[in-house]
Amino acid sequence: MLVTWRYKKRRSLIQWFDPRAWLIFFTSFIFSTLFFWDLRFLSFFLAIALLVVFTSGIRWSEMRRAWLFIGGFVFFFTFLTFLTGRGGMEVYANEHLIRRLEAPFTLFGWRPAIDVTVERSFFALSQMARVFSLASMTILIPYSLNPASYGIAFRGLGFPDKIAYAMDLTMRFIPTYGRDFQLTLDAQRARGYELEKLSGGLFAQVRKMAPLIVPVTIHAIIGSEDIIDAMDLRAFGVGPRTWIDQLHYRHRDRILIALAILLFVASLLLTFIGLGEFWVPPALIS
Amino acid sequence: MRVKPIPAVDIRKLNFRYRNRQELAIKDISLQVMPGELLLLAGASGCGKTTLIRCVNGLIPRSYKGEISGQILLNEEDSSGLPLARISQIVGTVLQDPERQILGTRVRNEVAFGLENLGLPREEIIPRVDEALDHLGISRLRERETFHLSGGEKQKVALAGVLAMRPSILLLDEPLASLDPASAQETLDLVRRLVDEGMAVIMVEHRVEDVLKYKPDRVLFMQEGEVRYLGLVEGLKNVVNYHEVKLPAPDVIARAAQDPPPAALRFLPSVSGDERTVEATALVQFEHVFFHYEGGEDVIHDVTINIERGDIIAILGANGSGKTTLVKHAIGLLKPRSGRVLVDGRDTREISVAEVAKTLGYVFQSPSHMLFAPTVGEELAFGPTNLRHTPQEIEKEVKEAIEIVNLSGKEKDPPLALSFGQQKRVSIAAILAMRSRILVMDEPTAGQDYQNYMEFMDAILQLPNFAAILFITHDIDLAVIYANRVLLVDQGRVVADGKPQDVMRDFSLLTTTRLVPTSLLQTNLEKLAITGRFLRAEALAHVSQS
């Protein structure tokens, strides 16, 4: 059975709006953020994202895992970019050295060193602000969007019936996959399988993952076949369908959609006139 | 002059072969089902029951391709020319597991799904949804989320979703398989009422005895894709062997009395004496165990029990009462929020699941969550290899395990290509091959036909290596026949723990835990003064003679 995300009704800014209006705003926010590398502009987006997070009414204990996973991921890659200096080469050409840190040892005659530069540091900060803005807004969606409204929300956004229902099922398929993975992991652990003790090269390790990957994949395929049977047996896809749930835009939703459009158009214009590119405070490089 | 009634389903010389298969799945089937008739469709796993259902509801040949010949008329209309959308308004199908059928996140959306697909106006759909819910007495569930329903509630909601489309024919594919006895009884009550209102119903079911109480008009018994018996219920009892189909205990006793007495079986032969022995250190100890999932309420509430050497424990209780959660603590997959669980005196918090697996083998409910290997042989070798058994030991363990579950000759077959019943037996064999001292099985007989599960239960309980066996079941008779100790679980609490003859004589307690006394239990209780313990029906036949 398809399981749902941990949605519940909360008094929150997100849930104050119609899900369609929020999805439009969310899409506008994501694309607008991607236009910028300037930390000053990104701070604006981060502020909006944090405002939404803090007014979401979701307890830390509920979304701790998601935050730790995504936060860890973001920190790791930002730090990697910072160390290698490779990620930002496309947005800045010159670097201004703050300090060169050298390791007190050599490896086969080579002494590892990191150049801490103004550009690298600001690139890391900009990257973090950008990715955290995107991640914060995205993490909240499964907790805040009523699963019962997925289909009608996508339909209301203009998607055809079949696509809207498919998107509804896909949204619910992700947590279902997670549950099946956990059940399989438990079943194999009960047979003495220890994921943490995998050894060997990459291919050997992937091969040793088969006890997890095969059942989960097969289960997903069988589950999909069951879903298709159940849908076929109740005449899905034979023609235009009715959706018994109805959504109605209110005044506030129209305002949010107007703001979403405004945000996107303004971001586009700013990019056209050359604002929003990577920025470092001039005082630091003069 | 009386008008001859029109059959709701008229199947004429039907044959079907799945694509890529050599043999026919069903052969030369002809039958009619009239409006207001309940046809029970029985037979062993893989006998073609589900294939026949798929032919009637149109999934064959539309979704499942293959070679089909013969004719199916639905209310005198040839179904081969009808689109699935039209068939779905004539034939409603409830699949084996309601979990696999429910698509909607909320009950009313689920029930409305078919009507929405037909594009009916909203003003028509809503009253029809309410009518279907009302008809099944589940209007109170209307706004509930389907995910949080109990097994029995899910089955009723799936049925409501089908009934809302107002079919004249209803197909039920093992609707009782995942239900506790009380939910099964409620489902059967509903089905009987629908039949009495004029619906034609074909019900596939292994739990023949349960259905017989609801007086099916006729029985179709299939074997290897063919009709072996089609006729009145009374005739079935003369045609089939009581080892093949589970018949009511008085019928088995009457038939078995003609046969020689069954051989005496010695369960848990490694344990000396018949009685369980309480030793200084129990094999598994639960000490004031409490558990809840993150953010939820307690699902296990102050459980203190010991599993001793010689125990054959049946855990009984309603769907969602906490049985599986409880036994997952024994292998350390779940850790108590407070209290502790000791296996061989060691706290499960301090040892890995793999270490516990050396002592305690756990067979999961669903085989599809564990089968992965290219052959049955390799699947069975996986556990013992993880536990670092030697290649010689593994070879011997695999061979024995395959024999016990009656799958000899299938060593080279891919487990994922086997039938569900066979997969279930592979999953049991995979744990047997690990040679743990304690065996824990979650619903070992679900989805199995009677003869198969009785054979492997007999074989498992006679294995020389187990010190204790524990199984979760909804089948009271399994507890009657095999257990020497019964735990009744209700809302996360162990509400009764004792010998089967002590616990199961209290019918009011059984009722509160959604269990329904069976004819075997009642007959055993009547003869308890003579037998002193519970026996299977074949054995009771000879007690009554003596």
Side-chain angles (χ1 to χ4, degrees), chain B residues 315-347:
Chain B
I315 301 188
L316 300 167
N319 291 114
S321 58
K323 306 184 294 293
T324 298
T325 308
L326 186 67
V327 295
K328 276 190 175 175
H329 277 83
I331 194 164
L333 286 169
L334 296 174
K335 315 285 184 198
R337 297 281 174 179
S338 74
R340 58 182 192 158
V341 178
L342 307 175
V343 177
D344 269 345
R346 293 195 297 170
D347 193 325

Side-chain angles (χ1 to χ4, degrees), chain B residues 46 61 231 245 254 296 342 374 424 473:
Chain B
V245 172
L342 307 175
K424 182 90 188 178
T473 186

